[in-house]
Amino acid sequence: MRKLLGLLLCLALLLGCVSAAGETVPALTQDIVVLFTSDVHCGIESGFGYAGLAAVRDQLAKTNHVILVDNGDAIQGEPVGTMTTGEALIDLMNAVGYEVAIPGNHEFDYGMDRFMELTEKANFPYISANFNKNGEPVFDPYVIKEFEGVKVAFVGATTPKTITSSTPKYFQDDQGNFIYDFCQGDTGDALYDAIQGAVDAARAEGADYVVLMGHLGIEESCSPWMSTEVIANTNGIDALLDGHSHSELSQEKVLNKDGEEVLLSACGTKLANVGYLRIAVDGTLSTGLYSWKNDVSVPALLGIENDVSQAVAAATETLSEKLSEVVATSAVDLVVYDPVAKMEDGSAVRLIRNAETNLGDLCADAYRDQSGADIAFVNGGGIRVDIKAGDITLNDILLVHPFGNAMCVVEATGQQILDALEWGAQVTPSESGGFLQVSGLTYEIHTYIPSSCTQDENGLFTGVTGEYRVKNVKVGGEDLVLDKTYTLASHNYMLKNAGDGFTMFQNDPILQDEVMIDNQVLINYITGTLGGVVGEQYANPYGDGRIVAVTEAPAA
């Protein structure tokens, strides 16, 4: 029997290959290589850069069938995106030659209307199996590409956390009703079903291979919609190419609901890696990363000159003079990442989303100073890059606060303040973009206490049912009074639009309404109040003790 099976397998290899669906696949004379990027965040000259990416694609295309796809969060993150509301990035993606893309949560940061305008400018389709308006799909759930008769389906999926990790208002009508959804639900089943339906439809249309392009992530806060959970609750997917959590996964294998292995790969952020899926002529699949760990980008180090490098130069030239303007100086390094600790692979450890840092203190102090409020909050996900000691340029400030959020002040009760701190700390010590950097108060996070925060199907805060992890909150050195009213400064993303799920402030009286863009808040604080110099008061990279993690219960 084994000999017979062996003969049949050899025959299959001669005539074609057997797909995961058990169908005979036409024979290839060249491998198919799917190159994928994710979370570029406007890093057009970082890592490989778009020019280096094009060079990699062109080199591989000499001996392979190659298709280039993007898994979201391409158009936001640096001034070239902010100052053109994403248009420069779409133009560059057109120049590079992307063939398929999916929306990440930050594709919506310039508003829904603007994102839809940008999709019309794109020379490639956006796809999504789970992005709907009034119950109807906004984009096609999948596309099929054919190579020598072999059909490869690409299915798109965007994390349902998008509703809270972008601006909830963008997904609502004028009356505040949600008209857009991402198949959220509490259990994950709605997302799984939407993806399964697209996979089944693609298979029925003749797809030999199905690739899920995901902006899903593997962070705990992404559950129940993590890429691993999607694989475990579906079948028919050959590989999942992931984004969102900036993870670097070369060739993970996750079992689907039928117990079959599915490849999982993710390529990090800022073009430090270019991911690939290779479908070999014998039908075997493999994934991996082309990595570039040097501080100097590929185009800069190798002097790459091609059509894309010229397009990148044109996009940045008009911005460079203004962005290079020196607005202040710093006597200390201001950090998002731990200046000492490193991951096993040598990469930096991000602190801003689970611990206090001096840059978090600076940004929160700027909001409190410029608003005159009792307390200020800045979500860790809104503070993006370190500032090195020395000159601070406009570009540096825009990189710290790239979203264009506007400062607001509300009247909030002590209970609402406590609920917000609890919501922000619900997954600590894991990362959360909603982790709160603070000014005007101090607090402890007792991480040994399980979070009892509750949320609705859209991931929005609804309450706390058990013991609070956040304790010993003090405002100006005095205990927080739950029924007292405080003035709270933050931005419209959180206070008005329930960004990161912070719903507790939605009905609070607004004292200052979108009075200043976030990066201007920081510029004004540094150049005015601090006299143009960030000094020794911010010398400790780990902050001045405003946020304390308590990892063990006190002895009885």
Side-chain angles (χ1 to χ4, degrees), residues 28 38 81 101 340 380 382 389 399 436 440-441 452 496:
L28 290 165
S38 184
V340 178
L399 290 175
L436 293 178
L441 64 71
S452 60
K496 294 177 63 178

mmCIF file of all heavy atoms in Angstrom, residues 28 38 81 101 340 380 382 389 399 436 440-441 452 496:
data_model
loop_
_atom_site.group_PDB
_atom_site.id
_atom_site.type_symbol
_atom_site.label_atom_id
_atom_site.label_comp_id
_atom_site.label_asym_id
_atom_site.label_seq_id
_atom_site.Cartn_x
_atom_site.Cartn_y
_atom_site.Cartn_z
ATOM 1 N N LEU A 28 3.574 24.035 -11.883
ATOM 2 C CA LEU A 28 4.262 25.305 -12.072
ATOM 3 C C LEU A 28 5.655 25.059 -12.639
ATOM 4 O O LEU A 28 6.280 24.035 -12.359
ATOM 5 C CB LEU A 28 4.405 26.030 -10.729
ATOM 6 C CG LEU A 28 3.144 26.590 -10.074
ATOM 7 C CD1 LEU A 28 3.422 26.929 -8.615
ATOM 8 C CD2 LEU A 28 2.651 27.821 -10.812
ATOM 9 N N SER A 38 3.699 45.114 6.227
ATOM 10 C CA SER A 38 2.643 45.497 7.163
ATOM 11 C C SER A 38 3.182 46.556 8.105
ATOM 12 O O SER A 38 4.386 46.597 8.383
ATOM 13 C CB SER A 38 2.173 44.280 7.975
ATOM 14 O OG SER A 38 1.095 44.640 8.821
ATOM 15 N N GLY A 81 2.957 61.296 5.890
ATOM 16 C CA GLY A 81 1.558 60.897 5.879
ATOM 17 C C GLY A 81 0.657 61.965 6.461
ATOM 18 O O GLY A 81 -0.353 62.351 5.870
ATOM 19 N N ALA A 101 -4.188 45.133 -1.082
ATOM 20 C CA ALA A 101 -3.967 45.687 0.254
ATOM 21 C C ALA A 101 -5.221 45.488 1.094
ATOM 22 O O ALA A 101 -6.321 45.299 0.562
ATOM 23 C CB ALA A 101 -3.611 47.171 0.191
ATOM 24 N N VAL A 340 17.883 50.206 28.218
ATOM 25 C CA VAL A 340 18.800 49.154 28.661
ATOM 26 C C VAL A 340 18.340 47.767 28.206
ATOM 27 O O VAL A 340 19.082 47.034 27.554
ATOM 28 C CB VAL A 340 18.962 49.173 30.201
ATOM 29 C CG1 VAL A 340 19.880 48.033 30.650
ATOM 30 C CG2 VAL A 340 19.493 50.523 30.670
ATOM 31 N N GLY A 380 -0.714 55.730 25.798
ATOM 32 C CA GLY A 380 0.614 55.313 25.371
ATOM 33 C C GLY A 380 0.717 55.056 23.886
ATOM 34 O O GLY A 380 1.768 55.293 23.278
ATOM 35 N N GLY A 382 -0.457 56.757 21.621
ATOM 36 C CA GLY A 382 -0.359 58.026 20.907
ATOM 37 C C GLY A 382 1.000 58.677 21.021
ATOM 38 O O GLY A 382 1.191 59.790 20.543
ATOM 39 N N ALA A 389 18.699 63.221 22.985
ATOM 40 C CA ALA A 389 19.250 64.467 23.523
ATOM 41 C C ALA A 389 19.855 65.294 22.394
ATOM 42 O O ALA A 389 20.446 64.753 21.455
ATOM 43 C CB ALA A 389 20.313 64.152 24.575
ATOM 44 N N LEU A 399 6.719 63.164 14.809
ATOM 45 C CA LEU A 399 6.883 61.723 14.939
ATOM 46 C C LEU A 399 6.370 61.230 16.292
ATOM 47 O O LEU A 399 5.848 60.117 16.394
ATOM 48 C CB LEU A 399 8.346 61.334 14.758
ATOM 49 C CG LEU A 399 8.922 61.473 13.356
ATOM 50 C CD1 LEU A 399 10.409 61.159 13.357
ATOM 51 C CD2 LEU A 399 8.200 60.560 12.377
ATOM 52 N N LEU A 436 -2.351 54.524 30.197
ATOM 53 C CA LEU A 436 -2.377 55.967 30.413
ATOM 54 C C LEU A 436 -1.108 56.496 31.067
ATOM 55 O O LEU A 436 -0.755 56.117 32.185
ATOM 56 C CB LEU A 436 -3.583 56.353 31.269
ATOM 57 C CG LEU A 436 -4.949 56.148 30.595
ATOM 58 C CD1 LEU A 436 -6.077 56.513 31.549
ATOM 59 C CD2 LEU A 436 -5.051 56.948 29.303
ATOM 60 N N GLY A 440 -0.327 65.198 37.060
ATOM 61 C CA GLY A 440 -1.220 65.707 38.097
ATOM 62 C C GLY A 440 -1.707 64.647 39.052
ATOM 63 O O GLY A 440 -2.367 64.966 40.041
ATOM 64 N N LEU A 441 -1.412 63.385 38.795
ATOM 65 C CA LEU A 441 -1.793 62.321 39.709
ATOM 66 C C LEU A 441 -0.763 61.203 39.685
ATOM 67 O O LEU A 441 0.081 61.123 38.795
ATOM 68 C CB LEU A 441 -3.196 61.785 39.421
ATOM 69 C CG LEU A 441 -3.557 61.080 38.107
ATOM 70 C CD1 LEU A 441 -2.938 59.696 37.990
ATOM 71 C CD2 LEU A 441 -5.071 60.943 37.996
ATOM 72 N N SER A 452 -11.303 43.022 35.896
ATOM 73 C CA SER A 452 -12.733 42.717 35.818
ATOM 74 C C SER A 452 -13.472 43.768 34.997
ATOM 75 O O SER A 452 -14.672 43.979 35.167
ATOM 76 C CB SER A 452 -13.337 42.611 37.221
ATOM 77 O OG SER A 452 -13.181 43.832 37.934
ATOM 78 N N LYS A 496 -13.824 62.735 23.535
ATOM 79 C CA LYS A 496 -15.050 62.925 22.762
ATOM 80 C C LYS A 496 -15.424 61.710 21.924
ATOM 81 O O LYS A 496 -16.608 61.445 21.702
ATOM 82 C CB LYS A 496 -14.892 64.139 21.833
ATOM 83 C CG LYS A 496 -14.760 65.462 22.556
ATOM 84 C CD LYS A 496 -14.533 66.603 21.579
ATOM 85 C CE LYS A 496 -15.692 66.791 20.630
ATOM 86 N NZ LYS A 496 -15.461 67.940 19.713
#
